[in-house]
Amino acid sequence: MKRQIYTHKSTERTLTYTANKVASLKINDEKRTTVRVYDGGFIGVAGKSGSADIDQLEKKAVAMLDNKVPYPEPQDKAEKLSIDTGTENQDKSDLLQEGEKLIKKISEENPEFIFSGKTVFADTTDIFCSDGGTEYDCSQSSQMTYFLMKHKDSASIFDDAYSAEGRIFETDKIAEDVNLLAKAYLKKLPAIEEDEIAVIADISSVYYIMSSFNAQAYATGSSLLNGKLGKKVFSDKFTLYCEQDPRKQAGAVFFDGEGVVNDGYKAYLVRDGVMQNLLTTRQTAEKYGYKNIGTADAPFAAIPQEGTSGIDVAYTAEDLNELLKGEKAVLLSSVSGGDMTTAGDIALPVLNPYLYEDGELKGRMPGFTVTANIFDVLGKDYIGACGKGIWAAGKNTYLVFRAKLVNKQ
Amino acid sequence: MYKFQQGKYADVRIEDRFSTTLVITDGEISQCRELREKKAFIRVYDGERWYYASTDDVVNVQKMLDELYSYAKDNGNILSDPTVSAFEVNKDEIVRFAKSCVADIPVFEKAAFAKDAAARVKSDYAKIVDAAYVDRYSVYEFYSSKGADIKYDFQTCGLRLSVRFAKDDEYIDNYRILNLTDFEKLRKDFSLEGFVEESENMLLRSKKLEKAGTYPVILSQEVTGVFAHESFGHKSEADFMLGDETLAKEWTVGKRVASEKLSIVDSGLIDGAGYVPYDDEGTRATRTYLIKNGVLEGRLHSAETAVYLGEKLTGNARAINCSFEPIVRMTTTFVEKGTDKLEDLIKSIKHGYYIKSYKHGSGMSTFTIAPLVSYEIVDGKIGDPVKIAVITGNVFETLSLIDGVADDEEVGSSPTGGCGKMVQYPLNVAMGGPHIRVSAMNVQ
């Protein structure tokens, strides 16, 4: 019998902003331990939150072997690795004051709006160890801030939203971004004339196709990418991967849920337009005969599943100006629940499109719906991606492609 | 039980939760989790700010409570604070599910049920068959410094059968869901009648949408539910109105906001996923009309929002679990049935669409629903299945365009999903209504 233990510890401090004030402070300390055992081609799992007795958990996991859940035995490496990105969060006693200063600043500088939202400061440690001798641990600090902005004269529950995620609580940069968005929101522009234009989206545009990279979907012929593994499918400029280096992406863990560590801490799905790999666990990789690229999630007290954590695209330019080369574009903000048909046709209702021209947001236009096919978005209509352009705080990926506009308001 | 201090309000909420998640994929168990978690959420309020703590170390609740007390200021008038005054002081115990508790059913019985359901899908085109069985039994306790002392239990168990059907380069997804409060009833009532036929019809005969545009649309009971929840339910959550005079004025009770055929209700008293006899501030559940005959009739409240707007508490302060603070949320939200007959609604449409089920929905000033199963309606008859990415519309325009409400109300919920608001997802809620007809909706 083989055993693996995955432990996730987090200490969170959350500020909640309500109507331009810090309304609450929350303290949340959590520890979750999962024990997996493998025997005779089967897996058993048990977990506990809070302090855990590993021997007790192992007994429970062994009892779960009776459910005969097939899973290959791990071949864990005897290796010790550790990454600690440092605790760059401010001294915890200052967080409340920092939050108060931030909400005061943005509400005073943008008196037309009411702001609500949250800042979550998290210190996390993920530990994977096995009786095969593997000992990995990954510690980091991160922060996530979002604000819902509501114009004081508006009858909507909110009118636009801003978020920043990164390692440091960059209050000046967040305030700068919120001011930029608020000013652009207030500057109303006429409806867009073009029926087709370059649009600036975020990484969520590729989420629609992620389920097609699932190994089981692919193996059973029920993926949009059927028969395309190893083939050129997308634009030469399109490279898609899971970023697993916590020094490059806040929240990333350098090993996957099954203790796989990738070269350069990256798991590639598409490289230069060629579909290279599928999303697997050790179980689905072995079952269907694909390479296991180490993207498994480790759900608490549960069997590993295919994950898409840290999904990102390779940048093809330094910034938006280099990508667009003077061409005007539209930033898609407040996309209301778009979706894709099984033919790959996407519809994205955009409530707040902002005109981006000459390196700046010119103002807000009436809404419309973006329509495109996912293979065109990431193929012939793909302009590229970059990390700089509009927002100052946090890590940003701008995905730029050409698309049709319909249902103009 | 706990040592509450004078000069500050405090409450303690404890949830002891048992849950099972089982997934059968292609006849074998691919996920199996049985978990028991006990967590506590503690709140302290000094009249200016709330201080919260969440812990899975429930024996040390008093220690966490004392730590929060150290952050808060002393307030000799805390009991006359309007929000604190509004908190109900209920003492009650409602334990309804202990005798049929899902924690007492062996996991192999649950697995056998899910496997049997998956095995009933007989189709050459079924490529991935996932049967997800999910159950939960929770015992909640609530204590406050004002003297509240409440205990109640909650239970759901359900099956979601999801199948991907594929032929050549085409594929479609379809599902069947049933979520109840009793395992034996679930085992008896889960039905796949017509499922394979419907799915194969979708796979082999689905058309692309000929032309995106505005069409009359009929929404099924489950789609009516998500429409009511997303388009109007969230707007009825009064925490959006805190500190916002414009919204408070705009949403004056008595204002006409919809077609007079439309009435929407929220109630925590209905059995199922939205059953919440006491909310997470200890307020007793109520039945609240959000819209009655097209007129704004009420909204959903926590104690703080009820005080702010000078209205009655409704029992809608809820958290997804003891890691989070209660915020204003829905419970069971549904459109009340009308008097129309479904067949008459269909007959009245020359060219439009019938939206039978959905993948997801969302709503701000514009709502969006991504359909899963949709049909064209031609000359008053249901026609071929059609691939539609989204149906959208301006919320208020669409509410006014509801011109048919059938008499076939149904309420349901999902064992694997729920409602999301900010970072709190998924919250157990239920939703539904009858078939409704909307005279014009944007179909893409």
Side-chain angles (χ1 to χ4, degrees):
Chain A
M1 190 178 75
K2 292 186 175 177
R3 184 180 78 172
Q4 295 176 331
I5 303 170
Y6 196 107
T7 308
H8 175 79
K9 293 188 276 190
S10 71
T11 302
E12 283 184 5
R13 300 290 179 270
T14 304
L15 303 178
T16 298
Y17 310 103
T18 303
N20 296 342
K21 285 191 290 196
V22 178
S24 68
L25 165 68
K26 183 174 80 173
I27 302 165
N28 191 346
D29 293 333
E30 197 169 82
K31 182 184 176 191
R32 295 183 144 196
T33 307
T34 301
V35 172
R36 300 183 208 129
V37 295
Y38 304 83
D39 199 19
F42 300 111
I43 186 173
V45 187
K48 187 170 184 313
S49 56
S51 56
D53 178 331
I54 297 297
D55 291 338
Q56 285 293 321
L57 276 183
E58 183 176 332
K59 279 182 193 162
K60 281 188 188 172
V62 168
M64 295 297 268
L65 286 169
D66 291 344
N67 292 316
K68 306 277 184 212
V69 181
Y71 215 93
E73 285 202 355
Q75 305 296 325
D76 293 324
K77 272 198 262 183
E79 183 178 54
K80 289 185 183 182
L81 283 175
S82 176
I83 294 181
D84 185 346
T85 63
T87 49
E88 290 150 340
N89 271 339
Q90 286 87 341
D91 179 340
K92 294 287 186 285
S93 62
D94 290 342
L95 299 180
L96 190 54
Q97 287 76 21
E98 287 292 307
E100 281 177 328
K101 273 197 282 185
L102 174 62
I103 190 76
K104 186 167 185 283
K105 185 176 167 69
I106 63 172
S107 55
E108 282 179 358
E109 290 177 359
N110 302 285
E112 302 88 352
F113 292 91
I114 298 168
F115 294 93
S116 56
K118 279 188 193 297
T119 298
V120 181
F121 305 92
D123 292 338
T124 60
T125 299
D126 289 84
I127 302 168
F128 176 89
C129 58
S130 74
D131 51 14
T134 316
E135 288 180 39
Y136 297 147
D137 71 86
C138 183
S139 297
Q140 58 189 305
S141 292
S142 61
Q143 74 82 34
M144 184 277 293
T145 296
Y146 74 80
F147 286 112
L148 301 180
M149 301 163 43
K150 188 201 160 290
H151 193 278
K152 283 181 176 169
D153 295 336
S154 161
S156 299
I157 52 180
F158 65 94
D159 295 297
D160 213 331
Y162 167 82
S163 70
E165 198 166 355
R167 198 160 306 293
I168 309 168
F169 189 37
E170 304 169 298
T171 51
D172 288 343
K173 287 183 179 177
I174 291 171
E176 185 187 321
D177 286 348
V178 172
N179 290 350
L180 180 69
L181 183 61
K183 300 287 179 285
Y185 181 90
L186 291 173
K187 194 162 183 190
K188 283 188 190 173
L189 300 178
I192 193 160
E193 288 178 5
E194 289 85 348
D195 292 326
E196 192 174 322
I197 196 166
V199 299
I200 305 166
D202 60 23
I203 193 68
S204 63
S205 301
V206 302
Y207 292 169
Y208 297 112
I209 202 167
M210 292 314 297
S211 70
S212 288
F213 283 97
N214 178 284
Q216 189 191 17
Y218 191 84
T220 54
S222 54
S223 158
L224 207 54
L225 297 167
N226 281 349
K228 295 186 167 66
L229 188 61
K231 294 180 183 164
K232 177 84 186 317
V233 185
F234 305 108
S235 161
D236 290 343
K237 292 179 280 188
F238 184 69
T239 292
L240 179 70
Y241 57 86
C242 294
E243 179 58 75
Q244 296 169 323
D245 189 340
R247 293 162 295 201
K248 294 181 180 168
Q249 181 144 323
V253 176
F254 74 87
F255 49 91
D256 82 341
E258 299 189 284
V260 176
V261 178
N262 283 303
D263 289 343
Y265 308 120
K266 274 188 172 62
Y268 285 94
L269 295 167
V270 178
R271 219 163 182 167
D272 304 326
V274 177
M275 183 182 173
Q276 291 210 320
N277 287 301
L278 295 159
L279 293 167
T280 56
T281 59
R282 209 155 34 74
Q283 200 260 350
T284 56
E286 187 168 303
K287 181 174 178 180
Y288 299 114
Y290 300 125
K291 183 183 171 190
N292 180 22
I293 60 163
T295 55
D297 274 347
F300 173 47
I303 296 165
Q305 303 285 303
E306 292 89 353
T308 56
S309 295
I311 200 76
D312 207 351
V313 296
Y315 295 164
T316 60
E318 178 66 19
D319 59 23
L320 281 174
N321 288 340
E322 188 186 327
L323 266 186
L324 290 163
K325 297 183 177 70
E327 184 181 350
K328 73 177 175 182
V330 174
L331 172 71
L332 309 182
S333 186
S334 294
V335 176
S336 172
D339 209 334
M340 184 178 85
T341 69
T342 53
D345 295 326
I346 296 173
L348 304 174
V350 184
L351 302 186
N352 294 329
Y354 293 92
L355 180 63
Y356 182 82
E357 199 170 18
D358 303 327
E360 59 184 47
L361 292 182
K362 297 288 186 186
R364 175 173 59 103
M365 298 179 291
F368 50 67
T369 298
V370 169
T371 62
N373 186 279
I374 191 71
F375 290 106
D376 295 337
V377 164
L378 306 177
K380 71 179 179 60
D381 294 331
Y382 187 64
I383 296 173
C386 63
K388 292 179 189 165
I390 299 171
W391 311 120
K395 181 179 185 290
N396 298 287
T397 291
Y398 304 97
L399 207 73
V400 184
F401 55 89
R402 232 171 287 286
K404 290 190 176 66
L405 311 180
V406 298
N407 191 24
K408 293 178 192 172
Q409 303 294 303
Chain B
M1 185 178 185
Y2 298 109
K3 289 177 189 160
F4 293 112
Q5 291 181 10
Q6 300 287 313
K8 290 152 192 165
Y9 170 81
D11 58 41
V12 175
R13 167 168 49 100
I14 297 170
E15 182 189 3
D16 187 353
R17 178 186 292 203
F18 167 88
S19 62
T20 309
T21 304
L22 264 169
V23 182
I24 309 297
T25 303
D26 292 339
E28 291 179 336
I29 299 176
S30 60
Q31 185 56 275
C32 179
R33 167 163 64 183
E34 247 190 353
L35 192 61
R36 180 147 219 152
E37 288 183 285
K38 193 167 184 180
K39 295 189 79 168
F41 195 87
I42 305 136
R43 306 194 305 171
V44 169
Y45 181 57
D46 60 10
E48 285 182 22
R49 182 171 289 149
W50 284 96
Y51 299 90
Y52 306 136
S54 164
T55 182
D56 42 30
D57 191 7
V58 289
V59 293
N60 281 321
V61 166
Q62 185 67 52
K63 192 175 145 199
M64 295 296 291
L65 180 59
D66 292 341
E67 185 184 340
L68 293 186
Y69 274 137
S70 72
Y71 298 138
K73 295 174 188 167
D74 278 323
N75 180 349
N77 297 317
I78 192 67
L79 288 175
S80 55
D81 175 271
T83 301
V84 176
S85 298
F87 286 133
E88 293 180 358
V89 184
N90 292 301
K91 294 176 192 285
D92 199 359
E93 181 170 325
I94 312 172
V95 177
R96 299 176 55 208
F97 303 105
K99 284 185 183 164
S100 61
C101 181
V102 288
D104 297 333
I105 298 165
V107 70
F108 68 82
E109 269 192 49
K110 299 168 185 175
F113 160 58
K115 276 184 183 173
D116 175 64
R120 279 151 54 197
V121 177
K122 308 277 188 206
S123 167
D124 291 342
Y125 303 115
K127 301 298 180 188
I128 303 177
V129 181
D130 273 342
Y133 169 85
V134 177
D135 66 29
R136 177 181 149 198
Y137 176 72
S138 290
V139 177
Y140 290 95
E141 295 169 67
F142 181 85
Y143 309 95
S144 80
S145 57
K146 284 182 71 177
D149 185 344
I150 299 164
K151 182 178 179 182
Y152 74 91
D153 65 353
F154 168 89
Q155 181 161 290
T156 53
C157 53
L159 188 75
R160 177 190 171 102
L161 186 88
S162 316
V163 185
R164 179 163 284 191
F165 295 85
K167 180 176 182 277
D168 303 328
D169 283 341
E170 290 283 322
Y171 73 89
I172 62 106
D173 294 316
N174 203 1
Y175 63 78
R176 276 285 163 91
I177 280 180
L178 188 62
N179 200 27
L180 301 173
T181 58
D182 183 85
F183 180 73
E184 287 309 320
K185 187 163 171 52
L186 173 71
R187 192 151 57 176
K188 187 166 155 279
D189 290 357
F190 188 82
S191 166
L192 286 174
E193 191 182 343
F195 175 72
V196 169
E197 294 79 358
E198 174 187 81
S199 305
E200 289 182 345
N201 190 34
M202 280 168 65
L203 176 71
L204 303 174
R205 277 177 277 283
S206 273
K207 305 199 299 193
K208 276 190 105 167
L209 181 67
E210 259 177 42
K211 194 180 172 197
T214 303
Y215 298 92
V217 165
I218 291 177
L219 307 182
S220 71
Q221 290 116 321
E222 72 169 86
V223 182
T224 294
V226 73
F227 172 70
H229 176 102
E230 297 293 349
S231 72
F232 201 80
H234 280 298
K235 290 176 182 59
S236 302
E237 294 167 339
D239 47 352
F240 290 114
M241 295 180 196
L242 287 173
D244 191 337
E245 289 172 14
T246 307
L247 264 189
K249 276 182 201 159
E250 186 69 27
W251 290 81
T252 310
V253 169
K255 181 180 177 177
R256 175 159 294 283
V257 291
S259 148
E260 65 178 10
K261 281 179 171 267
L262 187 73
S263 295
I264 301 179
V265 175
D266 182 272
S267 173
L269 300 164
I270 297 169
D271 266 353
Y275 170 70
V276 189
Y278 290 94
D279 75 4
D280 291 332
E281 295 184 325
T283 303
R284 197 187 300 269
T286 58
R287 178 185 164 94
T288 309
Y289 269 100
L290 308 180
I291 297 176
K292 195 168 188 179
N293 302 325
V295 173
L296 185 66
E297 178 82 2
R299 51 191 140 234
L300 307 178
H301 284 300
S302 63
E304 183 185 18
T305 64
V307 166
Y308 178 78
L309 291 166
E311 295 173 3
K312 285 182 184 170
L313 276 65
T314 58
N316 288 89
R318 304 183 62 200
I320 56 169
N321 57 39
C322 278
S323 293
F324 293 93
E325 69 276 23
I327 55 176
V328 183
R329 305 297 296 263
M330 286 170 263
T331 56
T332 297
T333 312
F334 60 98
V335 172
E336 277 195 327
K337 68 181 178 184
T339 54
D340 296 318
K341 297 289 176 198
L342 172 61
E343 51 271 32
D344 294 335
L345 298 183
I346 295 169
K347 269 185 207 163
S348 68
I349 293 178
K350 183 147 183 65
H351 186 211
Y353 294 93
Y354 173 52
I355 312 299
K356 189 180 176 211
S357 61
Y358 69 97
K359 286 188 269 184
H360 59 81
S362 62
M364 285 168 43
S365 54
T366 297
F367 75 90
T368 302
I369 294 169
L372 183 70
V373 180
S374 316
Y375 294 91
E376 193 173 26
I377 300 173
V378 181
D379 294 331
K381 288 181 184 157
I382 299 280
D384 288 329
V386 60
K387 290 181 178 179
I388 296 172
V390 294
I391 54 171
T392 71
N394 175 283
V395 168
F396 289 105
E397 285 173 13
T398 306
L399 288 171
S400 300
L401 294 172
I402 294 170
D403 60 358
V405 178
D407 57 358
D408 53 1
E409 177 189 307
E410 273 182 15
V411 170
S413 60
S414 166
T416 54
C419 171
K421 182 173 176 180
M422 314 305 174
V423 291
Q424 292 203 44
Y425 172 85
L427 181 74
N428 48 293
V429 295
M431 58 188 85
H435 283 88
I436 62 171
R437 183 181 59 196
V438 184
S439 61
M441 211 179 240
N442 206 290
V443 179
Q444 283 157 358

